[in-house]
């Protein structure tokens, strides 16, 4: 009851006075004798009235005006005996007071100078319990300890009775707190920085490296109850505006000038912004030179010069350190704004690749999930400078930057804004200047430069890179005439002095930040950070709120941007050059496209690339070398290549390529899906490949379609993979398998618990063999894909199979085309599709499905939302099934691939069909083969022109005339998506000239002219015209007269930019 009000100074002597005679009496109390003796019951305590020295730190000299530096108006002069305070060695003696987590008196989020202990009782010493178990009272003039938990003594702080903190405030000046003056134009920086996995922005307690005796564990964050101070009726009410750093959120607060800054901040955060972890943020006003004046939490608004309505304050982050136990998303947002503003204004220079990644996260935060309708390329034309720094968007077309931005934006679909902000901050750790406050300065010789102040030291711009000097090598810093000076000492003993010219307010701002960051680090690493006498004494938050300075931030720049795709491309081109090979155009096209679009490539697609054994060896060598490549610290490395799938189909590598396949399968390259259709393996190849398949444990899919394995080869492969825990998809179609293989496959499906996909179509089985297979499949419930098309299955066996599949709701892919379902099988098919099922792919093409069943099928599929591929061509429609067919085409929006050729469509029905298909952009592939198009030129042109989603169009055996070919080419002029066009088995000899205009198409990669009755003489002019195409990869002219005439034109065809196939793969395999 006798204590004076908090904040009163009593009869304390003036700052800098002599306290050697003890403390003055408290208000109304007698002066205590000096020095006072400690109580007998409390040994080893320092004498009362004398300051207890902090262990390991030198005392600070009494303040004196610094020579040659005039403090800005309203600021007190810097204290110290010299302009620069130097480090002093300190004897590591055992302190008198035990270091059992001593307490300092601090405000709720500010570490301040410890108050002097009361002289009336030893129990009033900071950090000691009061007699009788009562807690010690807080010292006069100071606020209560945080949550009652004693805070550790901060190294570098003056001792009780020593020098007080230097007041960085502006006093009672009436500041102009309006908008800051515009900053000067920043120079363009081209700093190359590493992009690599970084630790999360908010780290866990497991990652801490502080000394054991530094901290008493902070409690888990809980929203506190804050009782806000009412308005003082004796004071005039004023209205203050508090803004977010970006100005997007502003709140007006009514208060009185006798409120403290802390009371104002608590009220704004708690009542106005619903922000409860306010210890991580502070209030600032605009000062001279465009800098922040950080308000002192313990001062009143009047003391800070805020006494009338109209002032604008900003709530933002001052100390850019990694917070611990930060869960308040609104505080995370303020950290995000701190980083985002510095990235955009160029303070934290970043590379193009990293700026695109950051811009995509920013788009997710500001725009939400990507939508092609809401976010077309061009929607950010007038906002591009809000997403990219000037150094990036000034050098590149806005449309291209937006395209690449939205490619990455798609990948963040479903990510919340709060999570995207955390990802943004984590990614920023790859910037060399991360966490730095940047100041425009001049070097000693007057050259413009930049000074970066960060949590681990300071950096100076040298060329286009920042050179950082950390606290473990800094020995002194302080003001000089017209600027600042820093002195560092390397481990080798080399001394280096840095001098910068800057304004007076900038001097105070830099000293405030770097001295504060030093105190944070010194509190954490007492023995590793040199002792430095600080030129000023800033107030900092409780160091336990933050992690130590991050060690994973790469402060030095790097030599190059690199990626896994770049490593693969270089290795492949080098291998091709060493072996005098022409690189596979398809492989390079896909790699370059992925690099340009900056997307992850998951498949090495080398099918139909004319690879032989040597070409395969070069490709495998590049995969192994690039996979084993280890990035270095001086390069930005992007993991943009995943070796999930390797497709080498339709290349005649034969037995000579087996060693390369063995090397790949035996290596560490994690190929999950190995696709090698029609590569000429045979039984010998299977036997050579089997030993390495036994040791491989990552293979998920093995596709050996068309390799002539026969029963013996299949048995060898299945035996090698039977113990593989991951291989669940077996594709063994077109391998001359017999009923013996059915028995083997039935046993495998029954006993192997991981098999889910069985593809054995285009083999000749009898009903007895298929029955054995069916009996084996009935013992499993795991099949998700069954492909038994063209295996000679009759109607009765088809019915039995489809009836069993009624209960297999897990089945997703069913291919039973080119079998004879007949009436029994057709009825079973209709029943299967009308019942609940999850089929995604259905192939019943040329399966003798009757018209009645077709009607039921189309009626069932009209509202189906799961079927993505339907191949039902080659089954004749009648007048009763036709309405259901057209209604299905109009209504269903789920199907992506559709094969409806050879269904006997009349002229009027075909016109309706083409018109419907032209407006179905959901279709990726359309197969109209074996449909008479003689009178449908207009409809076909309309289909090609209007359908904006179609990638593949098959028109084999469609009786194409010159007029139809002209219509196709006219449609292709306006088409921008089609990649494959198949015109097989049409008389094209007189129509080839019209196809030369296809060279202008930007996407066409494959053109098929098989069995079109053409020779080399007719084909060569077309090839010369198409040679200017920038997209064409393959022209298939096999099964024509070209093979016999090829010798005469060998030179002409060898100089083309694309591959021309003259021999069908089946024929070449048999010939070889």
């Amino acid at each position: 009851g006798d204590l004076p009000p908090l904040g009163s100074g009593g009869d304390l002597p003036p700052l800098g006075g002599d306290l050697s005679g003890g403390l003055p009496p408290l208000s109304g109390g007698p002066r205590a004798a000096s020095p006072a003796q400690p109580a007998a019951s409390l040994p080893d305590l320092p004498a009362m009235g004398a300051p207890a020295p902090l262990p390991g730190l030198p005392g600070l000299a009494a303040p004196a005006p610094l020579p040659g530096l005039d403090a800005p108006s309203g600021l007190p002069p810097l204290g110290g005996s010299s302009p620069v305070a130097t480090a002093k060695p300190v004897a590591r003696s055992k302190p008198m007071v035990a270091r059992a987590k001593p307490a300092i008196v601090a405000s709720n989020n500010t570490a301040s100078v410890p108050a002097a202990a009361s002289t009336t009782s030893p129990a009033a010493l900071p950090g000691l319990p009061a007699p009788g178990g009562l807690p010690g009272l807080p010292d006069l003039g100071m606020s209560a300890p945080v949550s009652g938990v004693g805070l550790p003594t901060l190294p570098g702080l003056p001792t009780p009775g020593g020098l007080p903190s230097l007041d960085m405030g502006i006093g009672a000046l009436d500041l102009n707190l309006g908008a800051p003056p515009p900053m000067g134009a920043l120079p363009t920086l081209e700093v190359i920085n590493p992009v690599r996995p970084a630790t999360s922005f908010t780290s866990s307690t497991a990652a801490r490296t502080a000394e054991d005796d530094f901290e008493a564990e902070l409690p888990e964050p809980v929203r506190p109850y804050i009782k806000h101070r009412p308005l003082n009726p004796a004071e005039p009410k004023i209205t203050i505006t508090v803004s977010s750093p970006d100005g997007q959120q502003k709140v007006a607060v009514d208060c009185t000038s006798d409120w403290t800054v802390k009371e104002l901040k608590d009220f704004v955060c708690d009542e106005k912004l619903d922000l409860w972890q306010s210890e991580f943020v502070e209030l600032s006003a605009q000062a001279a030179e465009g800098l922040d004046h950080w308000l002192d939490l313990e001062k009143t608004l009047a003391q800070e010069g805020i006494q009338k309505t109209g002032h604008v304050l900003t709530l933002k982050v001052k100390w850019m350190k990694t917070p611990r136990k930060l869960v308040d998303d609104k505080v995370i947002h303020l950290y995000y704004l701190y980083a985002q503003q510095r990235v955009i204004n160029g303070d934290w220079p970043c590379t193009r690749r990293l700026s695109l990644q950051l811009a995509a996260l920013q788009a997710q935060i500001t725009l939400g999930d990507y939508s092609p309708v809401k976010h077309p390329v061009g929607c950010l034309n007038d906002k591009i400078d809000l997403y990219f720094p000037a150094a990036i968007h000034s050098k590149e077309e806005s449309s291209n930057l937006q395209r690449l931005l939205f490619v990455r934006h798609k990948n963040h679909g479903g990510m919340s804004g709060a999570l995207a902000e955390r990802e943004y901050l984590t990614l920023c750790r790859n910037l060399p200047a991360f966490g730095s406050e940047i100041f425009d300065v001049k070097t000693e010789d007057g050259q413009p430069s930049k000074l970066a102040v960060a949590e681990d030291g300071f950096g100076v711009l040298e060329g286009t890179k920042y050179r950082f000097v950390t606290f473990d090598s800094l020995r002194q810093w302080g003001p000089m005439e017209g600027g600042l000076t820093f002195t560092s000492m390397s481990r080798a003993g080399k001394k280096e002095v840095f001098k910068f010219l800057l304004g007076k307010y900038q001097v105070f701002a830099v000293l405030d930040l770097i001295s504060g960051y030093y105190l944070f680090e010194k509190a954490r690493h007492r023995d590793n950070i040199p002792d430095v006498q600080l030129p000023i004494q800033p107030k900092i938050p409780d160091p336990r709120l933050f992690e130590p300075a991050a060690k994973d931030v790469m402060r030095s720049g790097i030599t190059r941007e690199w990626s896994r795709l770049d490593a693969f491309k270089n290795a492949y081109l080098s291998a091709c050059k060493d072996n005098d090979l022409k690189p596979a155009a398809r492989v390079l096209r896909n790699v370059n496209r992925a690099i340009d679009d900056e997307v992850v490539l998951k498949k090495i697609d080398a099918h139909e690339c004319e690879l032989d054994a040597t070409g395969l060896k070069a490709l495998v060598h590049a995969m192994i070398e690039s996979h084993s490549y280890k990035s270095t610290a001086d390069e930005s490395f992007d993991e943009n290549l995943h070796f999930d799938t390797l497709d080498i189909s339709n290349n005649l590598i034969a037995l000579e390529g087996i060693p390369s396949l063995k090397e790949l399968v035996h290596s560490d390259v994690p190929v999950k899906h190995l696709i090698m259709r029609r590569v000429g393996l045979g039984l010998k190849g299977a036997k050579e490949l089997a030993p390495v398949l036994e040791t491989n444990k990552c293979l998920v899919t093995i596709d050996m379609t068309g390799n002539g394995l026969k029963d013996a080869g299949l048995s060898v492969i299945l035996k090698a993979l039977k113990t593989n825990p991951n291989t669940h998809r077996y594709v063994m179609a077109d391998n001359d398998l017999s009923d013996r293989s059915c028995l083997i496959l039935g046993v495998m499906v029954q006993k192997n618990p991981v098999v889910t996909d069985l593809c054995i179509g285009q083999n000749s089985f009898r009903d007895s063999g298929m029955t054995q297979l069916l009996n084996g499949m009935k013992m499993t419930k795991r099949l998700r894909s069954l492909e038994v098309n063209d295996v000679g299955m009759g109607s009765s066996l088809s019915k039995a199979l489809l009836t069993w599949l009624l209960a297999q709701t897990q089945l997703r892919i069913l291919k039973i085309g080119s079998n004879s379902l007949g009436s029994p099988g057709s009825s079973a098919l209709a029943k299967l599709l009308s019942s609940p099922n999850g089929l995604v792919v259905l192939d019943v093409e040329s399966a003798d499905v009757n018209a009645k069943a077709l009607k039921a099928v189309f009626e069932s599929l009209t509202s189906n939302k799961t079927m993505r591929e339907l191949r039902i061509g080659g089954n004749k429609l009648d007048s009763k099934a036709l309405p259901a067919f057209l209604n299905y085409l109009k209504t269903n929006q789920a199907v992506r691939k559709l094969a409806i050729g050879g269904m006997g469509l009349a002229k009027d029905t075909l016109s309706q069909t083409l018109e419907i298909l032209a407006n179905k952009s959901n279709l990726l592939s359309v197969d109209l083969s074996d449909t008479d198009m003689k009178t449908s030129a207009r409809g076909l042109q309309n289909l090609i022109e209007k359908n904006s989603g179609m990638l593949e169009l098959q028109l084999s055996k469609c009786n194409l005339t010159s007029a139809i070919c002209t219509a196709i080419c006219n449609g292709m002029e306006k088409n921008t998506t089609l990649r494959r066009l198949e015109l097989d088995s049409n008389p094209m000899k007189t129509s080839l000239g019209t196809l030369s205009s296809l060279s202008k198409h930007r996407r066409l990669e494959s053109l098929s002219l098989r069995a079109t009755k053409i020779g080399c003489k007719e084909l060569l002019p077309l090839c010369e015209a198409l040679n200017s195409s920038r997209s064409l990869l393959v022209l298939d002219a096999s099964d024509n007269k070209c093979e016999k005439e090829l010798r005469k034109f060998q030179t002409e065809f060898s100089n083309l930019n694309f591959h021309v196939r003259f021999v069908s793969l089946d024929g070449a395999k048999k010939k070889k």
Side-chain angles (χ1 to χ4, degrees):
D2 296 329
L3 298 178
L6 296 179
S8 66
D11 295 320
L12 295 177
L15 299 180
D18 184 13
L19 298 182
S20 61
L23 292 174
L26 303 177
S27 300
R31 183 184 180 96
S34 175
Q37 299 298 322
S41 59
L42 298 172
D44 298 328
L45 296 177
M48 297 296 101
L54 294 177
L57 293 181
L60 297 181
L66 293 173
L69 175 66
D70 296 329
S73 176
L75 293 176
L78 299 175
S81 57
S82 63
V84 178
T86 60
K88 301 178 181 179
V90 180
R92 299 297 181 187
S93 59
K94 183 177 181 180
M96 294 177 61
V97 180
R99 298 174 63 187
K101 300 178 176 60
I104 65 170
V105 179
S107 64
N108 191 31
N109 69 338
T110 308
S112 180
V113 180
S118 171
T119 62
T120 59
S121 171
L125 284 172
L128 294 179
L134 295 176
L137 294 174
D139 294 301
L140 301 180
M142 307 299 291
S143 57
V146 180
S147 305
V149 180
L151 301 181
T153 303
L154 295 179
L157 291 176
T159 61
L163 286 178
S165 299
L166 180 65
D167 187 1
M168 289 293 293
I170 307 299
L173 295 178
D174 188 8
L175 298 174
N176 178 14
L177 302 179
M183 300 292 290
L186 300 179
T188 300
L189 300 179
E190 297 182 354
V191 175
I192 301 177
N193 55 280
V195 182
R196 54 192 181 83
T199 57
S200 174
F201 178 69
T202 53
S203 58
S204 65
T205 57
R208 298 197 302 274
T209 58
E211 297 181 4
D212 293 338
D213 63 343
F214 169 75
E215 59 181 88
E217 180 65 27
L218 286 174
E220 293 299 319
V222 178
R223 182 163 190 157
Y225 170 74
I226 301 175
K227 185 176 181 180
H228 300 295
R229 178 179 177 178
L231 297 179
N232 185 354
E235 294 284 340
K237 184 178 72 171
I238 61 176
T239 301
I240 297 174
T241 301
V242 178
S243 170
S244 61
D246 59 351
Q248 296 297 313
Q249 189 173 13
K250 295 182 180 181
V251 295
V253 182
D254 294 331
C255 59
T256 53
S257 61
D258 60 342
W259 278 25
T260 66
V261 175
K262 182 181 184 308
E263 289 170 338
L264 174 64
K265 188 184 82 166
D266 288 345
F267 182 80
V268 170
C269 293
D270 188 48
E271 293 291 328
K272 297 291 186 177
L273 300 178
D274 194 29
L275 183 156
W276 57 275
Q277 285 190 285
S278 59
E279 59 268 27
F280 294 103
V281 295
E282 298 190 23
L283 285 170
S284 73
Q286 193 72 40
E289 301 176 10
L291 301 174
D292 288 308
H293 165 59
W294 298 98
L295 305 186
D296 190 333
L297 295 178
E298 296 176 355
K299 288 187 177 181
T300 64
L301 297 178
Q303 290 173 323
E304 289 287 4
I306 302 175
Q307 294 178 294
K308 57 185 179 181
T309 296
H311 289 292
V312 178
L313 306 179
T314 305
L315 183 72
K316 58 183 179 180
V317 172
K318 177 181 181 180
W319 307 103
M320 190 60 179
K321 292 182 65 64
T322 303
R324 288 177 52 206
K325 299 185 178 181
L326 177 55
V327 295
D328 190 341
D329 287 340
K330 294 185 182 299
V331 179
I332 288 287
H333 180 66
L334 293 178
Y335 274 99
Y336 158 75
L337 289 178
Y338 183 104
Q340 185 264 344
Q341 290 175 347
R342 283 152 182 79
V343 169
I344 298 304
N345 65 24
D347 281 350
W348 295 356
C350 60
T351 61
R352 176 179 177 273
R353 176 180 296 167
L354 188 56
S355 68
L356 281 166
Q357 296 172 352
L358 292 172
L361 287 167
Q362 183 180 339
Q364 182 66 22
I365 296 166
T366 57
L367 305 177
D369 288 349
Y370 171 77
S371 167
V373 177
K374 296 180 180 178
H375 308 133
V377 172
C379 68
L380 299 179
N381 283 344
D382 56 344
K383 300 178 181 178
I384 197 69
D385 58 336
L386 301 179
Y387 289 84
F388 294 94
I392 302 298
H393 72 72
S394 63
K395 297 179 180 179
E396 192 167 348
E397 289 291 335
S398 173
S399 59
N400 189 52
L401 281 178
Q402 292 181 61
R403 179 181 64 83
L404 296 175
L405 184 155
F406 289 130
V407 167
R408 287 155 185 75
H409 186 192
K410 292 178 188 177
N411 299 330
H412 300 311
M415 181 183 289
S416 67
L419 179 58
E421 289 176 348
R422 285 177 168 83
E423 291 292 327
Y424 190 99
L425 288 165
T426 300
L427 198 57
C428 280
R429 301 178 81 92
N430 294 295
L431 300 174
F434 170 74
S436 302
E437 189 69 37
I438 308 298
F439 297 89
D440 291 314
V441 299
K442 292 184 178 180
T443 58
E444 193 176 14
D445 57 358
Q447 296 299 318
S449 185
K450 288 182 178 291
L451 175 66
V453 179
E455 62 173 345
D456 53 347
F458 79 94
V460 57
L461 186 65
E462 295 183 351
T464 58
K465 300 179 182 179
Y466 279 101
R467 176 190 171 193
F468 271 83
V469 181
T470 55
F471 286 123
D472 56 1
S473 61
L474 269 177
R475 294 297 183 268
Q476 60 186 27
W477 61 84
M480 69 176 189
E481 182 68 29
L484 284 170
T485 180
F486 296 84
T487 302
S488 68
M489 186 74 70
S490 68
R491 292 183 178 180
K494 181 181 178 181
K495 181 179 178 181
E496 192 170 6
V497 178
F498 303 84
K499 295 182 179 181
F500 304 101
L501 304 178
L502 61 165
K504 296 179 180 180
Y505 278 89
Q506 286 182 307
V507 170
F508 282 96
V510 172
L511 290 177
D512 181 44
L513 279 178
I514 196 165
S515 299
Y517 282 132
Y518 168 81
L519 291 179
F520 280 117
E521 283 302 281
K522 187 62 179 175
R524 286 282 184 178
H525 305 292
R526 295 170 182 163
D527 297 329
N528 297 330
I529 303 297
D531 295 315
V532 175
Q533 185 174 342
L534 299 179
I536 65 172
Q537 196 69 50
K539 294 182 179 180
I540 64 172
D542 182 355
R544 296 180 301 170
L545 294 171
F546 304 96
E547 295 293 341
K551 302 300 182 185
D552 61 334
V553 177
M554 291 295 293
R555 293 303 188 192
S556 60
I558 62 172
T559 58
R560 65 174 180 177
E561 284 190 333
W562 202 238
S563 70
R564 191 73 63 189
L565 271 173
D566 290 313
F568 170 78
K569 178 181 176 181
N570 275 20
Y572 181 55
L573 291 176
S574 177
C576 289
K577 183 178 180 181
D578 293 342
N579 292 279
D580 196 22
L581 295 172
K582 183 179 180 181
R586 188 187 300 276
V587 174
L588 288 183
R589 181 80 55 87
N590 292 337
V591 169
N592 289 332
R593 185 178 293 167
I595 292 175
D596 293 341
D597 292 345
E598 297 188 24
V599 297
V600 176
L601 187 67
K602 296 184 178 181
K603 179 180 180 180
I604 302 297
D605 187 358
H607 82 279
E608 297 185 5
C609 288
E610 256 190 329
L611 289 182
D612 56 9
T614 307
L616 178 63
K617 181 180 179 180
L619 185 65
V620 169
H621 169 78
M623 293 176 66
I624 295 175
E625 182 176 320
S626 60
H627 175 69
S628 61
Y629 178 81
K630 303 296 183 184
S631 61
T632 58
D634 63 341
E635 66 184 10
S636 166
F637 196 76
D638 191 6
E639 290 288 354
N640 54 3
L641 175 59
H642 298 168
F643 295 101
D644 287 351
T645 303
L646 172 63
D647 189 351
I648 55 172
S649 301
N650 301 339
N651 294 292
L652 296 174
I653 61 173
L655 295 177
E656 293 83 356
I658 296 298
S660 298
L661 286 176
K662 291 170 67 175
E663 182 183 7
L664 175 65
V665 175
H666 192 64
S667 70
D668 293 332
V669 180
V671 176
K672 297 179 181 179
H673 311 283
L674 182 57
I675 304 173
M676 39 185 180
R677 302 173 180 172
R678 301 180 180 86
V679 296
L681 288 181
L683 176 59
K684 290 183 179 180
K687 288 181 177 180
E688 289 193 31
L689 195 59
V692 292
L693 292 178
E694 291 180 359
T695 60
N696 183 283
K697 301 301 179 185
C698 65
L699 204 60
V700 173
T701 299
I702 183 164
D703 187 343
M704 292 185 167
T705 298
N707 277 288
L709 297 180
K710 300 188 177 181
D711 297 334
L714 176 67
S715 179
V716 169
I717 297 297
L718 296 184
K719 184 178 180 180
L721 293 171
K722 70 178 181 180
T723 59
N724 191 307
N726 295 311
T727 308
H728 61 75
R729 179 173 173 81
Y730 292 81
V731 184
M732 302 293 173
D734 191 19
N735 271 298
D736 299 327
L737 304 181
S738 69
D739 293 340
R740 181 170 176 267
S741 293
C742 287
L743 178 60
I744 298 173
L745 291 168
V747 173
M748 180 195 72
V749 172
Q750 179 180 347
K751 294 186 176 182
N752 192 325
V754 299
V755 177
T756 60
D757 300 71
L758 185 61
C759 310
I760 53 172
Q762 297 175 278
N763 290 292
S764 297
F765 301 136
R766 294 178 297 180
D767 284 355
S768 59
M770 283 300 298
T771 301
Q772 290 175 326
L773 177 61
L774 181 56
N775 290 336
M777 292 190 298
K778 287 181 178 180
M779 305 300 293
T780 180
K781 293 274 186 186
R782 297 180 300 271
L783 276 183
R784 294 173 55 85
S785 174
L786 178 62
E787 299 182 19
V788 288
N789 48 307
D790 193 15
V791 295
M793 189 165 48
S795 58
S796 59
L797 194 56
S798 300
K799 179 181 178 181
L801 175 63
L802 293 169
T803 302
W804 170 69
L805 291 177
L806 280 171
Q808 308 305 309
T809 55
Q810 81 283 353
L811 194 71
R812 296 293 177 264
I813 299 175
L814 176 61
K815 294 186 178 182
I816 55 174
S818 300
N819 291 296
S820 181
L821 268 63
S823 181
S826 299
S827 300
L829 175 65
K831 189 174 182 181
L832 172 64
L833 295 178
S834 61
S835 62
N837 65 83
L839 285 176
V840 177
V841 176
L842 176 64
D843 178 3
V844 289
E845 199 168 23
S846 302
D848 193 22
V849 182
N850 60 38
K852 182 179 179 181
L854 286 176
K855 178 183 177 183
V857 167
F858 286 122
E859 289 175 347
S860 300
L861 294 179
T862 297
S863 58
N864 185 288
K865 296 181 179 180
T866 62
M867 189 78 70
R868 294 293 182 266
E869 179 177 350
L870 176 63
R871 303 194 66 85
I872 201 168
N875 299 291
K876 301 299 182 181
L877 286 170
D878 63 4
S879 57
K880 295 181 179 179
L882 190 58
F885 166 72
L886 294 175
N887 186 49
Y888 165 76
L889 293 181
K890 292 177 183 178
T891 308
N892 189 281
Q893 298 296 324
V895 69
R896 297 291 181 265
K897 297 182 178 181
L898 185 64
I900 53 174
M903 300 191 75
L905 300 180
K907 179 181 176 180
D908 293 342
T909 305
L910 180 58
S911 298
Q912 294 182 58
T913 300
L914 293 175
E915 184 178 352
I916 294 171
L917 295 178
N919 297 307
K920 291 186 73 66
S921 58
N922 58 296
L923 287 173
L924 302 179
S925 175
V926 177
D927 187 352
L928 295 171
S929 299
D930 199 17
T931 301
D932 192 350
M933 294 285 181
K934 187 181 297 185
T935 58
S936 303
R938 193 168 191 177
L940 192 56
Q941 179 178 338
N942 188 49
L943 166 64
I944 298 173
E945 281 182 359
K946 289 188 175 181
N947 194 305
S948 59
M950 187 168 56
L951 303 179
E952 181 178 8
L953 177 61
Q954 298 180 43
L955 298 172
S956 300
K957 294 181 66 176
C958 287
N959 198 18
L960 302 183
T961 62
S962 296
I964 298 294
C965 291
T966 301
I968 291 173
C969 293
N970 291 339
M972 292 290 284
E973 289 181 1
K974 297 183 179 180
N975 181 284
T976 59
T977 60
L978 202 65
R979 295 188 180 182
R980 177 177 174 81
L981 179 61
E982 187 175 302
L983 306 176
D984 299 343
S985 302
N986 290 289
M988 300 292 296
K989 188 172 184 178
T990 59
S991 307
L992 282 182
T994 60
L995 299 181
S996 59
S997 62
L998 295 179
S999 60
K1000 300 177 182 178
H1001 199 273
R1002 294 180 296 173
R1003 291 285 185 178
L1004 189 65
E1005 296 179 357
S1006 176
L1007 176 62
S1008 184
L1009 300 172
R1010 296 182 62 182
T1012 52
K1013 300 180 180 180
I1014 57 177
C1016 289
K1017 187 176 180 179
E1018 295 83 15
L1019 182 63
L1020 186 57
L1022 174 63
C1023 290
E1024 291 174 346
L1026 294 178
N1027 203 37
S1028 61
S1029 171
R1030 302 177 64 180
S1031 60
L1032 191 65
L1033 297 176
V1034 177
L1035 191 154
D1036 190 347
S1038 57
D1039 298 330
N1040 285 294
K1041 299 182 294 182
C1042 300
E1043 183 181 1
K1044 299 178 181 179
E1045 305 172 354
L1046 187 57
R1047 288 186 178 182
K1048 298 179 182 179
F1049 301 91
Q1050 187 73 42
T1051 304
E1052 289 84 349
F1053 284 111
S1054 62
N1055 294 326
L1056 297 175
N1057 295 326
F1058 53 90
H1059 170 53
V1060 181
R1061 183 181 300 122
F1062 296 100
V1063 183
S1064 67
L1065 292 166
D1066 292 338
K1069 181 180 67 173
K1070 292 175 182 178
K1071 182 177 180 180
K1072 192 173 184 69

